[in-house]
Amino acid sequence: PIYRAWEDAGAFAPGRAGAKPFAIVIPPPNVTGSLHMGHALNNTLQDVLVRFERMRGRDVLWQPGTDHAGIATQMVVERQLMDRQEPGRRALGREKFIERVWQWKEESGNTIVGQLKRLGASCDWSRLRFTMDEGLSRAVRKVFVELHRAGLIYKDKRLVNWDPELLTAISDLEVEQTETKGHLWHLRYPIEGTAEFIIVATTRPETMLGDTAVAVHPDDERYKHLIGKNVILPLVGRRIPIVADEYSDPEKGTGAVKITPAHDFNDFEVGKRHALPMINILDQEAKLALEGNADFVRGVDPNPELDWTLQELHGVFRFAGRKMIVDRLEGMGLIEKIEAYTHAVPRGDRSGAVIEPFLTDQWYVDAKTLAVPAIDAVKRGRTVFVPKNWETTYFHWMENIQPWCISRQLWWGHQIPAWYGPDGKIFVAEEETDAGAAAEAHYGKAVTLKRDEDVLDTWFSSALWPFSTLGWPDKTPELARYYPTDVLITGFDIIFFWVARMMMMGMHVMEEVPFRDVYIHALVRDEKGQKMSKSKGNVIDPLELIDDYGADALRFTLAAMAAQGRDIKLATSRVEGYRNFATKLWNAARFSQMNECAPQAGFDPSKAKVTVNRWIAGESERALASITDALQAFRFNEAASAIYHFIWHVFCDWYLELIKPVLAGNDQEAIAETRAMTSWALDRALTLLHPFMPFVTEELWAKLASETEGRKSFLMLAPWPERQGLENAEADAEISWVIRLVSEVRSVRAEMNVPAAARVPLVISGASADTEARAKRHEGTLLRLARLETLSFGKPPQGAVQIVLDEATLALPLAGVIDVDAESKRLKREIDRLGSDIKAIDAKLANEQFVSRAPEHVVEEQRERRVEAEATAARLEQALKRLEAAV
RNA sequence: GGGCGGUUAGCUCAGCGGUAGAGCACUACGUUGACAUCGUAGGGGUCACUAGUUCGAUCCUAGUACCGCCCACCA
C-alpha cells in the first residue's frame, strides 16, 4: 500500500526544475527472469543512493528496464516447447517461434518488475524500457550502420567459438575454461620417402584429419633436418609439410606439433603465417564432415585407406570419431603412447557444450579501435571506478581486447540490418527500403534482397543502454539533461560484458562517458565461494527473505554487507537482527506517541535548554554527518551502521531512558521541550534511515503526525537535513558522565550479584562542587536507571564498595547484600590489572623516543591514563580494606 | 603463467599506525508501563605465520602457508 501510494503520487518521477540532475540506469535484468540475491543487492544499493539524492534535492531519474537476453530467453522457450511436447523451434519456423517468445515475454515480463517493486525500488516505471522496444531497436540499427560505415563493424571469415549444441557462434567472454581429465596421444606421422616418423602429441586426435602441416621450432636440433620435408598424413594420405615456426615449443609435448588451422586458434595463426590450407572437417553439430568435402580431399593422393575413412567416419560425432581414429591408428602401429592428461576444455557458459573453434563468416566489432578512447576516459578520470583497483582489471582487459564477435545464429534478438544482393554483395542499412534503394543504385535495377538471418549479441544493445533508454538517436530533452549519467552500480562479473562495452559505445556514439562513477559491488555467493545458481541448489531466495523478514530488513542487511570485499556470504541471522531493529524503531515510535511527542511547527532544536535535549540534538547531528559522508563516498556499510548505532544505542538506549524522569516530573516547560525534541529527533532518525528502510520509515512518518497537523508530503520527498552546528560540548560532557556513572553502577551491581529488586543507597564523596551539582541534577535518572535507593554526598559509610569515576568516589554500601568473597576477589583482580597497566604505561613513558616522536595527544593520553589508573588502584585498595573490615 | 582478493570472537562479517568491533550464538540476571522480535551485565580474540620499517604494527613493506576469484595458455 505504501508503494502504491508513492507510485500514485508520482513520487518516483524526475523533473524537479532548477535542481541538479542525478541519473542512474538500472542494469537491465533478464525480462523473463526472477529476482535473485544479486539483483536484490544491486537494486538495494541503487535505491539507497537514489532515495538519498532525491532527498538531497537532486532531480533524480532512475531509469528502469529489462533485457531481452538473447540466448537465455530463447533457450527457456525452447525448453518449454519441449516440456509441453509441442513442435520445436525449427518445426515452428522463425516467425512463429519469435511470436512464442514475445508471448512468453508478455506472460512473465512483469514478474521481475513486480519483484523490484516489492524490494522498494523507486524507479520511474513510467519510463520502463525493453532492449527490443522499437526505439531501442532503432538505436541498435543506427549504431550498427554507423559503425559499419566507419569500418568498425565488418564481416570476416575466421575462427569463432562455436557452440555445437546451440548452433551459434559466441564471444570469447561466453566461453568458460574447465579443467578436464583427458589423454595426450602421441601420434607417429610417417615422413615421406623415408622409414622415419615424426611424433606429434595431441589431446584431440580426431582433428588430424584436418592437419595441413607439422610445425617444429626453427632452433630445435632434433628436427632441424626435417624442415621442408613432407609427412604423409595417416588415414588420409594427404601430403603435408614440416614447417619451422616459433609457436612450436620444444619443451612441450614432443616438440613437434600438428597444425590444424581450421580447428585451433593457435594453429589458425600458424596456418596464416605459412599460407597453409584450412581444412574444415566438422559440420555445425561437430560431426565429422568428409563426404563431398572439397577441402578435405584437396591434396589427397589416391589411397586405399581413404575410402574406409570416408565411409566409416562421415557423420560421426567428434568424440566417437576420436575413438575410431585412435583405434585405427593403433591398429596401424601409429600410436607411440597415450598419457593421462589434465587440460582445460572450453565450454559454452549457457549450454555447457564443448566449444569448437570453427571457421565461419561472422560480424565483428573492431573493439581495439573503440577501446582507445574508452581507456583514455578512465585514465583521465572522466569515469572513476569505486573501488579504484577495478581499473586495473578494466585496463588489462581493454588493452588486450580482441575483435568482438557480435553475430549469433539465433532467432531471438535484433536481426542484423544487412541485406545481400543476388551476387552476395552486402547492403547495410537501417531499413529494408534504404538497402533496396542502395541495391537498385548499385545494380541499376530493382533486385530481391535477402536479409542476414543472424541476430546481434545481447550485449550489443546493452552497450547502448545509457543513451538509448534516454531516447537516442532523437535529441530528447532527457538525453540532454541526464546524459552522462552519474553513477553505474553493478557487479564485477559484468565489467567486461557490459561496463567496458558501454564505455566504448558511449565514447564513440555520444563522445562522452556514459557515467561518472562506476560502483562495483561484491557478488553474493554460496558458502563455497561460487556464484549462486539454481542447479547447485544452494540459493537463498530474496523473495522468501522479504516474506519472512520484510523488504526493509533485507535491504538493510545487504547495504550493511556491501563493504568492498568480493564476496558476500549472506547469513539469515543477520537479516533477522535487522528485522528486530525495525521492530525496535517501531516501539520507540510508539513510546514517543504515548508520551504525546508530536512534531511542532517552528521548533528549533538549537534553542533547547534541557541538557539531554541539547545532547540528542548534537548526537543526531553527528549521525547526519557520518551518514551523509559515507553515502557520498558509496560506503553503504558505514552509513548503515551509523544509523543503526544512532537509533538503537543512542536514541533508544539512552535518550528515551534519560527523558523518562523529565516526562514524569512536573516541570511543564521542560516536558514541552522534551516532547518536541523527541519528536524532532525521531523524525531525524526516520529521515536518515529512510534510504535503507523506506517502508517502515514512511509508515511511521505518516503515523507520528496524523493526530496533530498531519504530513503534507511523503518522507521520501522530505529534504535531507542540513548541518546546523547543533553539537554542544557542555551537554555532551554532562550526558556522557551520566552514562558512564550509570554504566559503572550497573556493572558493579551485576558483578556483585546484587538482586535486581534490591535498592541501595549511593554515596558520592570526594567530588567537586561541579560534580556534585551535576549528580544532583540527574538524581532522578540515576535512581531510576541504576536502580538506586538514594543519592547522597559525603563520607562513605564503613563497608561500602567503592568505584571511581573521574575525580569522584562512588560508594555503594553493599555489605550484607553481596558475596564478600567474590567481591574481594574481583577487587584484587582489578588491582592486579591496574598494576600491570601502570607498569606498561611507565615503560612507554620512559621511552624517550615515544615521548619525543609520538603525537602529543597520544602521550598526554598515556599520562592521563596512568594518573587515573593509579588513583583507581588506590581507591580499590581502600575499598578492599573496608570490605574486609566489614565482615 | 599473469592479475586481484581473502585469512580478525563459536558463526557471518566490519574496522584500523596509538588499550580489538557489530549482529547472531553462548552464560547469568531481569517482565521497572515503548520494546521478550526486549533489557542489563558477562564470557570468549598471541587480528594465519615469519622477517622488516616504526617510539609503537592487527593495520605499512617483503616473504611464507592456506582459501578463493578473474584473465591467458596448455602439444
Side-chain angles (χ1 to χ4, degrees):
Chain A
I2 292 176
Y3 195 92
R4 174 64 68 79
W6 284 330
E7 260 190 315
D8 290 348
F12 304 153
R16 285 184 197 175
K20 198 177 161 200
F22 180 84
I24 213 173
V25 290
I26 203 170
N30 185 337
V31 67
T32 64
S34 167
L35 192 82
H36 58 62
M37 205 52 89
H39 294 129
L41 171 66
N42 178 250
N43 288 287
T44 293
L45 298 183
Q46 289 180 83
D47 197 48
V48 168
L49 215 53
V50 155
R51 286 178 185 270
F52 171 60
E53 295 294 354
R54 197 182 280 124
M55 291 171 95
R56 292 218 294 171
R58 302 280 292 271
D59 172 25
V60 170
L61 168 64
W62 184 7
Q63 173 64 52
T66 51
D67 187 59
H68 67 281
I71 296 184
T73 306
Q74 177 163 326
M75 277 174 71
V76 168
V77 175
E78 280 194 79
R79 196 170 306 140
Q80 253 177 26
L81 291 174
M82 204 160 70
D83 289 349
R84 296 177 192 170
Q85 308 204 325
E86 290 181 50
R89 168 165 75 101
R90 283 171 203 283
L92 273 179
R94 184 165 189 146
E95 208 170 307
K96 279 255 164 63
F97 178 78
I98 291 178
E99 229 170 77
R100 285 297 294 259
V101 184
W102 277 105
Q103 201 182 317
W104 167 238
K105 185 244 168 193
E106 292 312 319
E107 276 170 38
S108 64
N110 287 325
T111 308
I112 187 90
V113 170
Q115 289 167 339
L116 287 169
K117 289 181 180 180
R118 285 191 65 196
L119 189 67
S122 58
C123 307
D124 180 7
W125 297 109
S126 70
R127 296 188 48 83
L128 185 69
R129 296 290 183 276
F130 174 52
T131 47
M132 278 173 61
D133 280 350
E134 177 45 34
L136 273 62
S137 299
R138 191 156 61 98
V140 165
R141 291 194 300 271
K142 189 171 170 69
V143 169
F144 187 95
V145 170
E146 283 186 359
L147 289 176
H148 180 263
R149 192 171 299 142
L152 295 170
I153 282 184
Y154 54 91
K155 204 170 182 186
D156 197 8
K157 190 185 191 79
R158 43 182 284 163
L159 282 187
V160 288
N161 301 294
W162 183 264
D163 187 320
E165 231 163 75
L166 300 174
L167 303 183
T168 180
I170 56 177
S171 75
D172 296 345
L173 288 174
E174 290 160 281
V175 178
E176 284 171 353
Q177 303 292 337
T178 52
E179 285 278 298
T180 309
K181 280 180 190 168
H183 300 277
L184 186 62
W185 285 271
H186 294 246
L187 310 181
R188 309 171 71 174
Y189 282 5
I191 294 164
E192 191 184 33
T194 72
E196 277 181 79
F197 294 95
I198 188 165
I199 298 166
V200 296
T202 179
T203 54
R204 302 200 52 196
E206 72 279 12
T207 62
M208 57 92 56
L209 300 175
D211 284 0
T212 54
V214 170
V216 297
H217 196 274
D219 302 330
D220 193 332
E221 293 300 332
R222 291 172 295 178
Y223 300 117
K224 245 179 178 166
H225 66 288
L226 295 176
I227 295 170
K229 294 200 168 161
N230 289 313
V231 156
I232 301 296
L233 195 59
L235 302 183
V236 179
R238 186 187 303 126
R239 178 190 292 115
I240 61 175
I242 297 173
V243 299
D245 195 287
E246 308 235 322
Y247 162 65
S248 180
D249 182 348
E251 303 291 314
K252 282 186 189 162
T254 60
V257 58
K258 64 196 256 330
I259 300 297
T260 321
H263 294 286
D264 181 284
F265 288 100
N266 288 308
D267 293 5
F268 182 79
E269 296 302 320
V270 176
K272 278 210 291 203
R273 281 200 286 276
H274 298 273
L276 299 172
M278 311 213 171
I279 298 177
N280 188 350
I281 57 151
L282 295 172
D283 67 11
Q284 294 193 342
E285 293 171 358
K287 290 192 284 215
L288 293 168
L290 308 176
E291 265 177 26
N293 183 335
D295 287 342
F296 177 66
V297 293
R298 190 193 315 148
V300 174
D301 294 336
N303 183 329
E305 302 294 346
L306 183 60
D307 293 335
W308 174 85
T309 306
L310 277 173
Q311 283 164 13
E312 300 289 324
L313 290 173
H314 185 76
V316 170
F317 189 59
R318 55 189 166 177
F319 300 133
R322 173 182 302 175
K323 186 166 184 335
M324 289 167 69
I325 287 167
V326 167
D327 286 350
R328 184 71 186 171
L329 290 175
E330 198 146 36
M332 295 164 72
L334 293 177
I335 304 255
E336 176 79 8
K337 64 173 171 177
I338 304 173
E339 291 176 85
Y341 194 73
T342 301
H343 62 129
V345 172
R347 289 179 184 275
D349 64 353
R350 292 286 167 189
S351 68
V354 175
I355 294 305
E356 192 63 48
F358 198 56
L359 199 55
T360 53
D361 284 310
Q362 301 288 345
W363 291 93
Y364 291 89
V365 166
D366 178 358
K368 205 170 179 58
T369 302
L370 290 177
V372 174
I375 293 169
D376 186 59
V378 175
K379 284 236 159 94
R380 291 192 308 160
R382 303 279 303 150
T383 291
V384 176
F385 280 72
V386 181
K388 196 105 178 150
N389 56 343
W390 285 110
E391 289 179 3
T392 315
T393 309
Y394 173 83
F395 289 137
H396 185 259
W397 190 70
M398 287 294 248
E399 279 158 10
N400 297 289
I401 198 162
Q402 296 297 308
W404 173 19
C405 174
I406 49 169
S407 44
R408 297 286 180 280
Q409 287 64 53
L410 306 172
W411 289 349
W412 177 242
H414 298 99
Q415 194 169 353
I416 290 175
W419 284 263
Y420 299 94
D423 58 353
K425 182 168 171 55
I426 302 172
F427 299 92
V428 171
E430 282 179 55
E431 304 296 339
E432 182 156 17
T433 48
D434 301 337
E440 194 167 339
H442 174 74
Y443 295 110
K445 58 173 181 176
V447 296
T448 312
L449 294 178
K450 192 171 180 308
R451 184 164 186 180
D452 196 308
E453 301 229 322
D454 293 350
V455 301
L456 289 167
D457 182 2
T458 279
W459 296 103
F460 190 89
S461 54
S462 309
L464 317 180
W465 190 247
F467 50 90
S468 66
T469 51
L470 295 175
W472 189 93
D474 294 334
K475 289 196 165 75
T476 61
E478 288 88 351
L479 189 63
R481 183 160 175 80
Y482 300 109
Y483 191 94
T485 64
D486 288 84
V487 56
L488 178 80
I489 297 188
T490 193
F492 64 83
D493 52 330
I494 53 174
I495 289 180
F496 303 146
F497 278 112
W498 195 41
V499 180
R501 278 138 180 200
M502 279 191 288
M503 288 297 295
M504 293 193 281
M505 290 300 192
M507 291 308 291
H508 187 265
V509 175
M510 301 295 293
E511 298 182 347
E512 174 59 284
V513 295
F515 24 73
R516 300 285 180 216
D517 291 305
V518 183
Y519 177 80
I520 302 291
H521 63 244
L523 240 50
V524 186
R525 295 177 184 277
D526 69 5
E527 69 274 12
K528 284 172 196 153
Q530 290 175 326
K531 286 188 205 179
M532 281 189 182
S533 78
K534 275 178 202 145
S535 57
K536 285 171 197 148
N538 42 12
V539 285
I540 302 178
D541 183 355
L543 297 163
E544 274 175 33
L545 290 176
I546 290 176
D547 286 340
D548 293 348
Y549 304 105
D552 283 338
L554 175 63
R555 289 169 58 108
F556 202 92
T557 310
L558 291 170
M561 297 188 77
Q564 302 181 348
R566 289 208 173 191
D567 299 356
I568 292 182
K569 286 189 241 163
L570 195 79
T572 314
S573 63
R574 205 78 192 246
V575 186
E576 198 178 337
Y578 292 126
R579 185 271 320 266
N580 295 352
F581 172 58
T583 309
K584 184 79 180 175
L585 177 68
W586 189 269
N587 282 314
R590 197 166 73 175
F591 172 84
S592 162
Q593 207 169 34
M594 283 169 59
N595 285 285
E596 296 163 51
C597 305
Q600 280 184 19
F603 172 71
D604 182 353
S606 68
K607 299 241 160 62
K609 293 200 181 69
V610 180
T611 309
V612 70
N613 288 337
R614 293 201 298 187
W615 168 75
I616 196 66
E619 284 291 334
S620 59
E621 189 92 336
R622 267 191 282 276
L624 165 67
S626 56
I627 293 161
T628 307
D629 291 350
L631 283 181
Q632 276 176 322
F634 306 110
R635 292 194 301 265
F636 298 96
N637 59 324
E638 272 181 34
S641 77
I643 186 62
Y644 181 93
H645 180 259
F646 172 69
I647 290 179
W648 200 312
H649 298 305
V650 177
F651 185 73
C652 290
D653 283 357
W654 290 106
Y655 180 70
L656 293 186
E657 294 303 327
L658 291 170
I659 62 170
K660 281 175 183 173
V662 179
L663 295 173
N666 41 30
D667 181 343
Q668 292 308 319
E669 210 175 308
I671 290 174
E673 183 193 289
T674 300
R675 282 178 175 158
M677 180 60 86
T678 301
S679 171
W680 178 88
L682 187 55
D683 274 2
R684 172 64 59 95
L686 294 178
T687 309
L688 299 182
L689 179 60
H690 182 264
F692 300 92
M693 292 191 157
F695 294 107
V696 67
T697 51
E698 187 72 78
E699 193 172 348
L700 289 175
W701 179 260
K703 266 203 163 70
L704 287 171
S706 58
E707 285 171 20
T708 55
E709 59 180 73
R711 304 274 193 188
K712 289 174 231 50
S713 171
F714 289 117
L715 171 57
M716 71 164 284
L717 297 174
W720 192 257
E722 294 289 330
R723 299 203 60 177
Q724 296 170 57
L726 295 175
E727 291 94 339
N728 182 305
E730 216 176 299
D732 283 350
E734 181 135 337
I735 298 301
S736 56
W737 183 81
V738 173
I739 289 173
R740 273 161 58 214
L741 179 48
V742 170
S743 301
E744 280 292 336
V745 175
R746 277 176 177 171
S747 158
V748 170
R749 287 183 62 113
E751 266 188 51
M752 298 195 188
N753 295 321
V754 177
R759 288 176 171 270
V760 291
L762 175 70
V763 183
I764 298 183
S765 57
S768 67
D770 277 355
T771 306
E772 283 194 14
R774 184 182 263 180
K776 205 70 200 160
R777 275 201 295 279
H778 296 287
E779 185 169 9
T781 299
L782 292 171
L783 296 184
R784 180 193 168 87
L785 294 188
R787 292 202 48 81
L788 296 169
E789 190 181 23
T790 56
L791 185 64
S792 61
F793 300 92
K795 199 168 173 301
Q798 276 294 309
V801 170
Q802 295 187 0
I803 48 184
V804 174
L805 188 75
D806 295 341
E807 91 295 14
T809 300
L810 312 174
L812 290 169
L814 295 178
V817 200
I818 60 161
D819 180 344
V820 174
D821 278 353
E823 173 55 10
S824 62
K825 263 185 208 156
R826 186 186 74 86
L827 288 173
K828 280 177 191 157
R829 241 190 7 245
E830 202 60 9
I831 291 165
D832 277 357
R833 198 182 58 81
L834 286 167
S836 61
D837 276 6
I838 291 170
K839 256 193 228 160
I841 296 172
D842 279 345
K844 233 177 191 184
L845 290 174
N847 183 334
E848 267 177 48
Q849 284 180 308
F850 169 71
V851 176
S852 60
R853 294 201 199 178
E856 230 172 89
H857 73 274
V858 172
V859 180
E860 198 45 45
E861 230 172 71
Q862 295 295 326
R863 290 212 178 94
E864 281 167 16
R865 198 175 292 155
R866 191 191 188 288
V867 172
E868 251 175 62
E870 211 161 40
T872 309
R875 286 185 164 116
L876 291 183
E877 294 271 13
Q878 271 200 343
L880 182 60
K881 268 185 209 154
R882 282 190 178 143
L883 193 64
E884 279 161 357
V887 184

